[in-house]
Amino acid sequence: MPLLIAPVFNSIAPKPFRMELPNSYYLVAGAEKPYELASKYLRNEMDENKRLFDKRVDPMSLFLVADTPDMRIKDDQDWIEEIEGKLNMSVMNGICSIPYVVTIQPDMFGINYLKRSLDGSRFVFDSDAQDIFVSLLDQKLPSLAFRRYTLSLEKKRTEDQLLDLWIALESLFAPDGKKGEITYKLRLRMAYYFGSTFEERERIAEFIKKSYNQRSEIVHSGKIFGQKISNEVNLLRLMARSAILNTAMEGITVQELRVRLDHLIMAGEDYVKRYSPKRFERITLNA
């Protein structure tokens, strides 16, 4: 029976596990066979640096595996990319990627190149990450926000990352925005979403104003900020991730999120106290 193996580059699990997934796939770490076969067939066939495999993949890395009569790589590619995105949503730090798929049959093998491997800190798939990932498997995430969040991980330039993340955040917090009022809505709604006190909301609103102005400078004048905005980009990524996870876990739409936030603003209430979300990650800005 054909075997499909997709190493998850730059990932590691603290201990062996096997997790059943939809579509007759499973996710595994610490199993000898997937690593040995991927190493045998992929290492010398990669278009990238020949040593990259050994740097990015080891026996405790994650492997996406399927053992079925019908290998539908093209049909399953979007789903594999979705799994990669949900894996990256499951951790606060660290980036993983699935750049290659190996298919193995008794008398032949094939290698499908999906994308370049992503750069970033090591992706550690611990028990907390597993819990989040399992919760996301059957959830429909806000499509535009999720797509732009994952695209931001692929960009090398901080300016491109910032633009992707602002598209994600606009789709979450100002889906009803019109030119001239988007910044105002973003400042208010995000301040009440992430802040629990007046001081926190004030700092968040000022950060949003500054960062959105940077976004406008990049779009309209092509300004290059480089690493000067790396901290801002990291904070925007935390904000986008937190909001995507919360809407997914609660099963609410971005329109419902917007209605909730407008009610909070009118009442002056705290989001967590008012709605008691299943999962909510506070974003802290230094004073």
Side-chain angles (χ1 to χ4, degrees), residues 28 52 55 94 102 145 160 178 187 241 256 269-270 272:
V28 66
L52 184 60
K55 290 181 179 179
V102 182
D160 294 333
K178 297 180 181 178
R187 289 177 67 193
R241 176 179 179 270
E256 290 171 318
E269 294 180 322
D270 174 79
V272 174

Side-chain angles (χ1 to χ4, degrees), residues 10 37 47 78 81 93 139 165 176 196 209 266 286:
N10 204 39
L37 290 174
D47 293 330
D78 288 344
E81 291 181 358
N93 299 302
Q139 296 290 345
L165 291 168
D176 56 341
S196 60
K209 180 181 179 181
M266 293 293 291
N286 295 326

Side-chain angles (χ1 to χ4, degrees), residues 44 47 99 107 123 166 208-209 258 274:
N44 293 324
D47 293 330
D107 56 348
F123 175 94
W166 266 121
I208 298 306
K209 180 181 179 181
R258 184 258 301 171
R274 175 66 178 82

